Amino acid sequence: MDTVKQLGELALGSRLKRLSDEIMKDGKKIYAANKIDFEPKWFPVYYAISQAEKTTVTDISDAIGFKHPSVSQLVKELEKNGLIESEASTKDARKRNLKLSKKGLDLLPGIQSIWSDISNAMNEMIGQHTHNILCALEQCEDDFEQIPMFERVQKHRKARLMSQIEIIDYKPEYASDFLRLNTEWIEKYFKLESEDRKTLENPDQYIIKPGGAIKLAKYKDEIVGTCALIKISHDVYELAKMAVTEKCQGLQIGKKLGLSVLEKAKTLGGTKVILESNKKLVPAINLYKSLGFKSGQHFGDKSVYERCDIEMEIMI
């Protein structure tokens, strides 16, 4: 049983590493059989140096796509084995120019013959396959350059986490959760104001009865987030009192609450939703932007809350 093969795309990196190890192992045998003292791992750096009269570690790193520290380590090994030599740059003393040494130049004709043999053998093998592995690798490299693997995985992670969050409507039995979550969030960054207490302690009177709504997020049978929709006029609503408990932040709860509240505003006949926030709350501002909100007026003392210094809005 080949576990790596069975894992498929999940073990792509491990499988490429295993294939690389096999190629490197046989590469050492090939050089040894031709009585050439050369390590396969030196190849890309040695080759890059052989193609220029003088070059630097940075130039090589850019040319072959290896990280600077990796190139530096290979340069040290090549210099230690006498295949290259370096000298301080006349333009920048911090940089060193690299070139093949006499030993490295003497080795070049013989090793180029071996590279020709390796190239022919690999082309013969690749030509027998239905799919060209070099083309596939190039496509993968281009794809990861456009969207790195980390971003691709994060996208799926966020979607998975969002699917685990249940959004429910407010009921009086959740009044203590609504108060707890908002108090926890506000007091972390600011101070609880009289306007906060009025709304948080009487959500039915100040939010629900005037025509607004409250959504709650449930995760693993616990209320972990909330967001309110306050009616401002017949078609304008305010997204307010969004709070997610700290232990559950990063699970896309705010995003799902926001989407739910915007959808609720539509069903109530709203055409615009506004919100008030503070510019120092960068993650929150980024969340609102991801929902489609754009910056509106800056209003300072016009807000009923001391902490608010920015207004955002979205047409729905």
Side-chain angles (χ1 to χ4, degrees):
M1 182 178 70
D2 190 328
T3 302
V4 172
K5 280 187 178 180
Q6 287 187 332
L7 287 171
E9 65 281 346
L10 186 60
L12 177 60
S14 298
R15 196 163 181 181
L16 290 173
K17 173 67 165 58
R18 187 172 71 177
L19 180 60
S20 174
D21 288 345
E22 284 298 310
I23 293 172
M24 291 296 187
K25 182 182 71 175
D26 275 5
K28 293 183 76 167
K29 290 181 181 179
I30 293 165
Y31 289 125
N34 287 273
K35 296 182 171 53
I36 293 178
D37 185 15
F38 192 83
E39 291 286 336
K41 64 179 179 179
W42 296 341
F43 165 69
V45 174
Y46 173 84
Y47 177 84
I49 296 174
S50 74
Q51 298 302 296
E53 289 186 15
K54 290 181 180 180
T55 189
T56 66
V57 168
T58 300
D59 292 336
I60 297 170
S61 178
D62 291 341
I64 67 176
F66 283 21
K67 298 296 183 183
H68 197 281
S70 298
V71 175
S72 293
Q73 180 58 41
L74 293 171
V75 163
K76 287 178 182 178
E77 292 182 21
L78 284 165
E79 195 164 16
K80 182 179 179 181
N81 283 270
L83 295 177
I84 66 171
E85 55 188 35
S86 64
E87 60 182 16
S89 171
T90 56
K91 296 181 179 179
D92 187 346
R94 295 170 299 177
K95 295 183 178 180
R96 300 191 67 79
N97 289 321
L98 307 171
K99 64 178 182 179
L100 294 184
S101 64
K102 184 179 184 306
K103 179 180 177 181
L105 286 168
D106 290 342
L107 180 70
L108 191 57
I111 206 168
Q112 285 176 328
S113 298
I114 303 304
W115 292 344
S116 177
D117 295 338
I118 293 173
S119 180
N120 289 334
M122 297 299 284
N123 274 325
E124 182 181 52
M125 180 190 70
I126 292 171
Q128 297 172 356
H129 298 165
T130 304
H131 304 290
N132 188 303
I133 189 173
L134 295 178
C135 291
L137 283 172
E138 187 169 351
Q139 289 173 346
C140 286
E141 289 169 344
D142 289 343
D143 288 342
F144 282 134
E145 185 174 350
Q146 293 177 24
I147 306 176
M149 180 179 173
F150 178 80
E151 290 183 25
R152 293 172 183 273
V153 174
Q154 282 296 91
K155 174 186 173 183
H156 287 275
R157 174 182 178 272
K158 289 177 179 179
R160 172 175 56 80
L161 292 173
M162 283 187 72
S163 70
Q164 297 173 4
I165 308 301
E166 182 184 2
I167 303 299
I168 61 175
D169 290 320
Y170 172 83
K171 294 178 181 179
E173 64 196 77
Y174 297 124
S176 61
D177 292 304
F178 183 66
L179 174 61
R180 168 182 58 83
L181 289 164
N182 275 283
T183 301
E184 174 188 301
W185 180 87
I186 294 169
E187 291 185 337
K188 179 179 178 181
Y189 297 101
F190 307 101
K191 65 178 181 179
L192 208 61
E193 302 177 35
S194 59
E195 193 70 22
D196 290 312
R197 292 189 178 91
K198 182 180 74 173
T199 306
L200 295 176
E201 293 173 4
N202 303 281
D204 285 279
Q205 179 181 348
Y206 290 100
I207 299 175
I208 304 297
K209 288 182 180 179
I214 297 173
K215 295 289 185 177
L216 299 156
K218 182 184 282 190
Y219 179 63
K220 296 182 178 178
D221 295 322
E222 180 184 355
I223 302 300
V224 296
T226 184
C227 185
L229 189 67
I230 300 174
K231 187 171 184 178
I232 304 299
S233 66
H234 75 283
D235 65 344
V236 178
Y237 288 82
E238 178 186 359
L239 184 154
K241 305 305 180 193
M242 179 185 280
V244 176
T245 188
E246 188 169 8
K247 67 180 180 180
C248 291
Q249 288 176 6
L251 299 183
Q252 297 293 289
I253 295 172
K255 182 74 172 284
K256 197 161 187 176
L257 278 167
L259 291 170
S260 177
V261 165
L262 291 177
E263 186 60 34
K264 181 65 175 179
K266 286 183 183 179
T267 64
L268 292 174
T271 60
K272 182 167 84 168
V273 177
I274 64 170
L275 63 83
E276 297 177 356
S277 189
N278 186 287
K279 287 178 285 187
K280 77 176 185 179
L281 301 175
V282 178
I285 299 298
N286 288 337
L287 168 60
Y288 302 141
K289 288 180 179 178
S290 75
L291 291 169
F293 282 88
K294 299 183 183 300
S295 296
Q297 68 182 77
H298 296 264
F299 52 105
D301 61 359
K302 292 183 181 180
S303 172
V304 297
Y305 296 104
E306 292 180 13
R307 62 179 176 268
C308 293
D309 62 3
I310 185 174
E311 183 180 81
M312 304 181 78
E313 61 183 40
I314 182 175
M315 302 305 295
I316 56 174

Coordinates of all heavy atoms in Angstrom, one line a residue, residues 8 14 37-38 67 82 88 113 167 174 183 207 228 242 248 251 263 278 280 306:
G8 N -3.6 11.2 -2.6 CA -3.9 12.1 -3.8 C -3.4 13.5 -3.6 O -2.2 13.7 -3.2
S14 N 4.4 16.2 -0.7 CA 5.2 15.0 -0.3 C 5.6 14.2 -1.5 O 6.7 13.6 -1.5 CB 4.4 14.2 0.7 OG 4.1 15.0 1.9
D37 N 33.0 14.9 -9.6 CA 32.7 15.2 -8.2 C 31.7 16.4 -8.1 O 32.1 17.5 -8.1 CB 34.0 15.5 -7.4 CG 33.7 15.7 -5.9 OD1 32.7 15.4 -5.5 OD2 34.6 16.3 -5.3
F38 N 30.4 16.1 -8.1 CA 29.4 17.1 -8.2 C 28.1 16.6 -7.6 O 27.7 15.5 -7.7 CB 29.1 17.4 -9.7 CG 28.3 18.7 -9.9 CD1 29.0 19.9 -9.9 CD2 27.0 18.7 -10.1 CE1 28.2 21.1 -10.1 CE2 26.2 19.8 -10.3 CZ 26.9 21.0 -10.3
K67 N 14.8 30.8 -2.6 CA 15.0 31.8 -1.6 C 16.4 32.2 -1.4 O 17.3 31.4 -1.6 CB 14.4 31.3 -0.3 CG 12.9 31.0 -0.3 CD 12.1 32.2 -0.6 CE 10.6 31.9 -0.5 NZ 9.7 33.1 -0.8
G82 N 35.6 24.6 -4.3 CA 36.5 25.2 -5.3 C 36.0 25.4 -6.7 O 36.7 25.6 -7.6
A88 N 34.5 41.1 -3.8 CA 33.7 42.3 -3.4 C 33.3 43.1 -4.6 O 34.2 43.3 -5.5 CB 34.3 43.1 -2.3
S113 N 28.2 17.5 -21.0 CA 27.9 16.3 -21.7 C 26.9 15.4 -20.9 O 26.0 14.8 -21.5 CB 29.2 15.5 -22.0 OG 30.0 16.3 -22.8
I167 N -27.5 30.7 12.2 CA -28.0 32.1 12.4 C -29.5 31.9 12.8 O -30.3 31.3 12.0 CB -27.9 33.0 11.2 CG1 -26.4 33.1 10.8 CG2 -28.5 34.4 11.6 CD1 -25.5 33.7 11.9
Y174 N -33.2 35.2 24.8 CA -31.8 35.4 24.5 C -31.3 36.9 24.9 O -30.2 37.3 24.5 CB -31.5 35.3 23.0 CG -31.8 33.9 22.5 CD1 -32.7 33.7 21.4 CD2 -31.1 32.8 23.0 CE1 -32.9 32.4 21.0 CE2 -31.4 31.5 22.6 CZ -32.3 31.3 21.5 OH -32.5 30.0 21.1
T183 N -21.7 43.9 25.7 CA -20.9 44.4 26.9 C -19.5 44.0 26.8 O -18.6 44.8 27.0 CB -21.6 44.0 28.2 OG1 -22.9 44.5 28.3 CG2 -20.8 44.7 29.4
I207 N -35.4 48.1 19.6 CA -35.0 47.5 18.4 C -36.2 46.8 17.7 O -36.5 47.1 16.5 CB -33.8 46.6 18.5 CG1 -32.6 47.4 19.1 CG2 -33.5 45.9 17.2 CD1 -31.4 46.5 19.4
A228 N -27.7 43.5 15.3 CA -29.0 44.1 15.3 C -29.2 45.0 14.1 O -28.3 45.4 13.4 CB -29.2 45.0 16.5
M242 N -23.2 44.7 16.6 CA -22.5 43.4 16.1 C -21.4 43.1 17.1 O -20.6 43.9 17.4 CB -22.0 43.5 14.7 CG -21.3 42.2 14.3 SD -20.5 42.4 12.7 CE -21.8 42.2 11.6
C248 N -14.4 32.9 19.8 CA -14.8 32.4 18.5 C -14.5 33.3 17.4 O -15.0 33.1 16.3 CB -16.4 32.2 18.6 SG -16.8 30.8 19.6
L251 N -13.9 32.8 13.0 CA -14.7 31.7 12.5 C -15.7 32.1 11.5 O -16.6 31.4 11.1 CB -15.4 30.9 13.6 CG -14.5 30.3 14.7 CD1 -15.4 29.6 15.7 CD2 -13.5 29.3 14.1
E263 N -29.8 40.7 4.4 CA -30.9 40.0 3.8 C -32.2 40.4 4.5 O -33.3 40.6 3.8 CB -30.7 38.5 3.8 CG -31.7 37.7 3.0 CD -31.7 38.1 1.6 OE1 -30.7 38.4 1.0 OE2 -32.8 38.0 1.0
N278 N -15.7 52.9 14.5 CA -14.5 53.7 14.9 C -13.3 53.2 14.0 O -13.1 52.0 13.8 CB -14.1 53.4 16.4 CG -13.0 54.3 16.8 OD1 -11.8 54.1 16.5 ND2 -13.3 55.3 17.6
K280 N -10.3 53.0 14.3 CA -9.2 52.2 14.9 C -9.5 50.7 14.9 O -8.7 49.8 15.0 CB -8.8 52.6 16.3 CG -9.7 52.2 17.4 CD -9.2 52.6 18.8 CE -10.0 52.1 19.9 NZ -9.5 52.5 21.2
E306 N -19.9 58.4 21.8 CA -18.6 59.1 21.8 C -17.6 58.4 20.9 O -16.7 59.1 20.3 CB -18.1 59.3 23.2 CG -19.0 60.2 24.1 CD -18.4 60.3 25.5 OE1 -17.2 59.8 25.7 OE2 -19.1 60.7 26.4

